[in-house]
Amino acid sequence: STRDRIAKDKKEAIKLAINAGIDMSMDPYDWKFCTLLKELVEEGEVPMSRIDDAVRRILRMKYRLNLFEKPYYDVKDFPLFGSAEHAAVALQAAEESLVLLKNADGLLPLAKGTKLLVTGPNANSMRTLNGGWSYSWQGDKADACAADYNTILEALTAKFGAENVTYEAGVTYKQGGSWWEENAPEIEKAVATAEGADCIVACVGENSYCETPGNLTNLTLSENQSELVKALARTGKPIILILNEGRPRLVAHIEPLAKAVIDVMLPGNYGGDALANLLAGDANFSGKLPFTYPREINSLITYDYKPCEHIGKQMEGAYNYDAQVAVQWAFGYGLSYTDFAYSNFRVDKTDFTADDTLTFSVDVTNTGKRAGKESVLLFSSDLVASLSPDNRRLRAFEKIELQPGETKTVVLKLKGSDLAFVGYDGKWVLEIGGFRMQAGDPTLQLVCSEGRKWATPNREVLHQTFECGGGPAVFPVGPPLFSDGMFHSADCLRTFAAVMRGVFYILLCWLAGNALSLATGNHISGNIIGMVLLFAALCLRWVDAEQVRPAAKFLLGSMALFFVPYGVGLIESYHVILDNLWAIVVAGIVSTVAVLYITGRTYQILNRKNPGKNE
């Protein structure tokens, strides 16, 4: 774009974007896109085939969403919207999403009758539970729109009783101000209130935000909130630190002050109720961190980092090079009120190729005294590769529920091709060599005995690859073979689809013609009928084709395919094999199918008001 200085003006930027594959503009403030794109097409800078390609995908999606039949929805179409059934699912989703990161000395779950001080700017806010892009763009309307739901304070009060819960925020967000603005802190009030509490629930994090207005320059938790936690820690009362945030704010300086830490992220309207159930032990934690929580501001890293990004010790040499990743909590980390043990990790084959399916099994046992759910994560590590491999990659997972003492065998399947990576040349490659697989603590070794490089962007094993003039295309094997709707590329795929339909047409016509020959005893008339059916199909296909090239290829392919079985028909003595009665039955059935199919195609061609129907 002009901002990135790769285009001199908006018109050139549109040209670059459309020709690169962008199908739609979503700029709500400037309608020049339409005019400029039209000019580009008229000037030959953007081919009409590219416009057709984009429109086809957009119309196909609208068709699949049934927007041609029903362009809008009525609340009556969703009788369960806002129902108790949906509420139960939302609550369960929240309960299984909250992540227990620390539980020193088994502080949680809290005993009945525990007196709580609920504090922090996120304690009594629906806005912070929902975040941005919820009830409004920046989320600032959530407190009004979601007033019927429980904040963390309201949920804890309902769960533990008003007589056991006191509230003093200590720090609050500025009403009507920017998302990051806070009022003058009143930390001393919260400290004074803590004297009558057995435990402190400190709800910290950030206010709702989204997109550019939510940008920040410092990930560290705000100074007011940090000071609140430090002051409360000096009371000697155990602190449960609740992190309510849309991104990981750095808490390394206050985490040691807390006995328990829970990351609730943005749990939605039932987040407060879910937290209350979990703190009381009415539900068990089972959430896992979906990201790597950094300890330092210069340690923003993903779990699949490269080996050189974390050496773990100083390298030998004059410079004592050191690369350390300071992680607060790792990706996939999450505690529970029970414990799980992994054992008997195995795979059905230790040598594999790209075409193999690897079946992994591992036994998981609940060794604790509470029922719980566990997410079984399967990781892979490429031991040596031509391009520095990722430290590890999550390949499969499954969540299971176990009663105390119960053991389940979890089976996870992985395609050999899934262990491929994109090489220096931009192509997918699976190299010969070793892999380490891990589920829980157990690991095992695999060896790829036969490498492969893919010439196409898609490395699906269950696809056959065809090279067309417009570039590589992938055609799914197996039925249905005769619909363009299954294709996602451009003209070369439509060409191949046309040829495949040619195969289908020609088989029907050839069978019909030869069957009629057997029935009538007149080979000439039967073959003439078969040829008539064939050319009727060809004419329909020609009309249906949007370009000459696909139709021409269809014609040539169909004629070539026609003469192969026709020649075989001259050699074989079908009249010896089939008697006249069966020949008549077969001829009737095949001819009927052919007529119905061709009639259906004709109807589709004439009924072009709904483009999606033809897909």
Side-chain angles (χ1 to χ4, degrees):
S1 67
T2 54
R3 180 195 64 193
D4 298 303
R5 293 189 286 182
I6 59 173
K8 63 181 179 181
D9 53 29
K10 185 166 186 173
K11 185 174 181 178
E12 185 178 3
I14 292 173
K15 169 188 169 182
L16 293 173
I18 296 299
N19 286 336
I22 299 297
D23 290 341
M24 183 184 297
S25 170
M26 296 182 65
D27 182 354
Y29 305 113
D30 188 351
W31 287 32
K32 291 181 181 178
F33 173 86
C34 302
T35 304
L36 294 175
L37 180 57
K38 183 173 182 291
E39 292 177 3
L40 287 167
V41 174
E42 293 171 345
E43 295 166 2
E45 297 296 323
V46 174
M48 192 63 194
S49 60
R50 176 66 193 93
I51 303 299
D52 292 339
D53 183 43
V55 170
R56 185 180 296 116
R57 272 196 290 269
I58 294 170
L59 291 179
R60 181 185 293 124
M61 179 56 66
K62 289 185 176 182
Y63 171 69
R64 289 173 178 171
L65 293 173
N66 201 34
L67 294 181
F68 290 107
E69 299 295 334
K70 194 166 188 178
Y72 62 91
Y73 287 99
D74 193 300
V75 68
K76 296 177 182 177
D77 297 330
F78 304 94
L80 293 181
F81 183 79
S83 65
E85 293 91 335
H86 282 192
V89 173
L91 177 61
Q92 180 186 356
E95 288 175 347
E96 295 193 27
S97 299
L98 274 57
V99 185
L100 179 61
L101 298 172
K102 182 178 182 180
N103 190 21
D105 302 327
L107 175 65
L108 303 178
L110 296 171
K112 187 176 181 179
T114 301
K115 294 191 177 298
L116 303 176
L117 164 63
V118 182
T119 185
N122 294 55
N124 196 29
S125 169
M126 291 305 301
R127 174 177 177 174
T128 59
L129 291 179
N130 283 281
W133 273 120
S134 54
Y135 287 97
S136 60
W137 181 39
Q138 293 297 317
D140 54 313
K141 303 291 193 298
D143 284 320
C145 296
D148 292 338
Y149 300 95
N150 290 327
T151 65
I152 294 175
L153 170 65
E154 292 166 343
L156 291 177
T157 301
K159 176 67 65 174
F160 290 92
E163 69 280 5
N164 293 318
V165 176
T166 55
Y167 170 63
E168 185 60 58
V171 176
T172 56
Y173 297 118
K174 186 176 181 180
Q175 195 74 14
S178 298
W179 68 269
W180 48 266
E181 289 187 277
E182 296 172 348
N183 296 310
E186 298 179 319
I187 296 175
E188 66 284 352
K189 290 185 178 180
V191 171
T193 308
E195 294 301 323
D198 299 320
C199 191
I200 300 170
V201 181
C203 305
V204 300
E206 55 188 1
N207 209 350
S208 70
Y209 61 89
C210 75
E211 298 187 12
T212 301
N215 289 353
L216 45 71
T217 56
N218 191 340
L219 279 178
T220 304
L221 193 67
S222 77
E223 182 178 356
N224 287 340
Q225 296 185 51
S226 298
E227 291 303 317
L228 173 64
V229 175
K230 292 176 181 179
L232 291 170
R234 289 193 287 269
T235 67
K237 303 297 178 71
I239 295 176
I240 304 170
L241 192 62
I242 308 298
L243 303 177
N244 176 202
E245 52 197 17
R247 54 201 158 190
R249 304 301 294 267
L250 303 182
V251 294
H253 57 300
I254 59 172
E255 177 271 328
L257 306 178
K259 283 282 189 179
V261 181
I262 302 167
D263 193 351
V264 304
M265 292 170 277
L266 302 176
N269 284 335
Y270 288 91
D273 299 301
L275 179 61
N277 291 342
L278 291 163
L279 291 179
D282 296 335
N284 197 348
F285 285 96
S286 62
K288 303 291 186 181
L289 267 186
F291 55 85
T292 300
Y293 205 114
R295 180 184 296 272
E296 305 294 345
I297 199 167
N298 63 342
S299 293
L300 305 181
I301 198 167
T302 57
Y303 82 99
D304 55 346
Y305 57 83
K306 301 297 182 181
C308 63
E309 295 179 273
H310 180 60
I311 304 300
K313 62 180 181 179
Q314 286 190 340
M315 297 176 65
E316 295 180 2
Y319 297 104
N320 290 326
Y321 175 77
D322 184 13
Q324 296 279 352
V325 174
V327 174
Q328 188 76 52
W329 295 288
F331 168 85
Y333 181 76
L335 302 174
S336 170
Y337 290 149
T338 189
D339 297 305
F340 300 95
Y342 288 68
S343 62
N344 198 21
F345 184 36
R346 54 204 183 275
V347 64
D348 63 335
K349 54 178 72 70
T350 55
D351 288 1
F352 71 94
T353 67
D355 296 325
D356 289 328
T357 297
L358 302 168
T359 301
F360 297 87
S361 303
V362 64
D363 297 336
V364 183
T365 303
N366 183 346
T367 59
K369 298 180 179 180
R370 286 176 174 264
K373 295 182 179 181
E374 171 72 347
S375 292
V376 180
L377 311 179
L378 177 65
F379 290 95
S380 73
S381 297
D382 195 341
L383 300 183
V384 178
S386 59
L387 184 69
S388 182
D390 299 325
N391 174 57
R392 62 175 184 163
R393 291 288 302 275
L394 177 64
R395 298 298 185 179
F397 64 90
E398 182 176 340
K399 195 167 192 176
I400 59 173
E401 183 171 12
L402 294 172
Q403 299 300 316
E406 183 182 6
T407 298
K408 284 185 179 179
T409 299
V410 178
V411 178
L412 299 170
K413 294 188 176 183
L414 186 68
K415 298 175 184 176
S417 59
D418 287 340
L419 295 175
F421 63 93
V422 178
Y424 283 107
D425 57 0
K427 298 183 182 300
W428 285 97
V429 60
L430 177 64
E431 297 178 338
I432 296 175
F435 292 83
R436 180 175 61 251
M437 309 300 295
Q438 182 174 8
D441 291 330
T443 63
L444 58 79
Q445 304 289 320
L446 298 178
V447 174
C448 175
S449 56
E450 180 183 321
R452 177 183 296 180
K453 176 174 284 191
W454 283 260
T456 63
N458 194 326
R459 68 182 192 282
E460 273 293 329
V461 181
L462 297 180
H463 285 61
Q464 292 177 352
T465 303
F466 303 89
E467 292 290 340
C468 302
V474 180
F475 175 73
V477 177
L481 292 176
F482 315 110
S483 172
D484 286 349
M486 65 194 298
F487 299 108
H488 306 291
S489 188
D491 299 334
C492 64
L493 288 178
R494 296 179 63 81
T495 301
F496 188 76
V499 175
M500 286 291 95
R501 271 195 295 271
V503 176
F504 184 65
Y505 286 138
I506 199 63
L507 288 176
L508 286 178
C509 298
W510 174 72
L511 287 173
N514 280 275
L516 287 171
S517 297
L518 293 175
T520 62
N522 188 333
H523 289 277
I524 296 177
S525 63
N527 287 331
I528 290 175
I529 293 174
M531 290 295 289
V532 170
L533 290 173
L534 168 64
F535 283 105
L538 290 178
C539 291
L540 286 172
R541 180 58 203 165
W542 191 283
V543 173
D544 186 35
E546 296 180 3
Q547 297 183 13
V548 175
R549 186 177 67 175
K553 288 190 176 182
F554 167 81
L555 177 62
L556 294 174
S558 297
M559 292 303 295
L561 290 168
F562 177 83
F563 285 109
V564 172
Y566 182 74
V568 175
L570 295 177
I571 298 172
E572 297 290 343
S573 300
Y574 287 108
H575 62 279
V576 177
I577 301 173
L578 299 174
D579 56 34
N580 290 341
L581 178 62
W582 281 109
I584 293 172
V585 173
V586 171
I589 294 175
V590 173
S591 299
T592 302
V593 171
V595 171
L596 289 176
Y597 186 86
I598 295 172
T599 303
R601 291 294 298 168
T602 305
Y603 175 79
Q604 286 183 333
I605 294 167
L606 297 177
N607 188 30
R608 284 196 174 273
K609 292 182 180 179
N610 268 333
K613 297 285 186 182
N614 278 330
E615 297 301 324

